[in-house]
Amino acid sequence: MANLQRDFELRAYPGIKKTLHHMQSSIAVMGLDNKLADYLDMDLYDRVNSKQVKENLDFIAEICNKAVEEAKQYLIALNNNN
């Protein structure tokens, strides 16, 4: 997420696309690929303005951060049951 933020601030859209590409497998493993598929479309970032890119990246961050928090809570619950 830090790379996405940095590349957005630098308007380095090829970097954004590269980072999103690398995130795809992790997003799929977490079961978020259907929810984020439209936001991971690399061609999209060639067609939208910076405001839309920012909104997309904010949405991706929100969903990913929620997923990480859910995973942490799940691990805590597992550890408490053992």
Side-chain angles (χ1 to χ4, degrees), residues 21-72:
H21 176 73
H22 289 289
M23 289 175 64
Q24 285 179 330
S25 59
S26 298
I27 286 170
V29 167
M30 293 295 292
L32 300 172
D33 47 334
N34 286 337
K35 186 171 208 123
L36 294 175
D38 291 341
Y39 299 89
L40 299 174
D41 177 6
M42 301 307 133
D43 294 331
L44 172 72
Y45 294 91
D46 293 329
R47 299 187 308 264
V48 296
N49 61 40
S50 62
K51 180 182 179 210
Q52 185 63 50
V53 170
K54 177 70 171 142
E55 289 173 3
N56 289 355
L57 297 181
D58 287 346
F59 182 76
I60 291 168
E62 178 184 349
I63 297 302
C64 289
N65 289 332
K66 284 181 183 178
V68 168
E69 188 57 37
E70 281 183 34
K72 286 179 183 178

Side-chain angles (χ1 to χ4, degrees), residues 12-24:
Y13 293 110
I16 290 172
K17 291 166 60 172
K18 181 179 178 183
T19 300
L20 290 175
H21 176 73
H22 289 289
M23 289 175 64
Q24 285 179 330

